[in-house]
Amino acid sequence: MNKIIFLLITFLALGCSTEKEQLETLREVAKQDLIIQLQLPEGTVFNDEDLVITPNATALEKIGMIYVVKATIRSQDANGNEILKSHTLKYQKIGEGGLDPNDYELNSFD
């Protein structure tokens, strides 16, 4: 009985870490797409709070699943006032693993 419980806990832990790695991969893809789409300098840094990822379903392994990434870009005007601009990126999962940047395709950018 203890072995079964140990195996279940192990699979649960591995599943959670894979989900976290998939979301981190998608976060990196979104950062690169924001730099390209907004023509930002190559060294632009984003905080984790600036990117919010929302999957449309609970199971992250589904091919064809849509992810919505909401990005907030902070900048300043000539007077030094902070300006916040929000952008929405929609990605579709096209690969099985989800750990490769090529597993995600940008569908729209607003």
Side-chain angles (χ1 to χ4, degrees), residues 23-36 51 89 91 100-106:
L23 292 178
E24 187 59 37
T25 299
L26 183 58
R27 185 179 309 278
E28 293 302 318
V29 170
K31 288 177 185 178
Q32 289 302 314
D33 285 338
L34 283 167
I35 289 171
I36 292 168
L51 299 173
L89 298 89
Y91 288 91
D100 183 9
N102 295 325
D103 290 341
Y104 301 96
E105 179 180 68
L106 180 63

Side-chain angles (χ1 to χ4, degrees), residues 8-108:
L8 288 174
I9 291 173
T10 303
F11 287 131
L12 180 64
L14 287 175
C16 291
S17 68
T18 301
E19 178 181 325
K20 190 175 184 178
E21 290 173 5
Q22 288 179 3
L23 292 178
E24 187 59 37
T25 299
L26 183 58
R27 185 179 309 278
E28 293 302 318
V29 170
K31 288 177 185 178
Q32 289 302 314
D33 285 338
L34 283 167
I35 289 171
I36 292 168
Q37 294 290 330
L38 299 175
Q39 299 176 353
L40 299 172
E42 253 328 291
T44 302
V45 177
F46 295 94
N47 296 328
D48 287 340
E49 302 88 39
D50 294 339
L51 299 173
V52 177
I53 301 173
T54 307
N56 282 352
T58 55
L60 294 176
E61 278 87 37
K62 293 182 181 179
I63 293 178
M65 191 169 144
I66 303 294
Y67 294 88
V68 177
V69 179
K70 293 190 179 187
T72 303
I73 307 295
R74 300 168 194 272
S75 61
Q76 290 183 345
D77 63 8
N79 297 328
N81 299 322
E82 186 176 52
I83 300 171
L84 298 176
K85 292 185 181 179
S86 295
H87 299 280
T88 303
L89 298 89
K90 291 186 182 177
Y91 288 91
Q92 182 173 7
K93 187 173 181 180
I94 58 173
E96 270 188 47
L99 300 178
D100 183 9
N102 295 325
D103 290 341
Y104 301 96
E105 179 180 68
L106 180 63
N107 286 344
S108 69

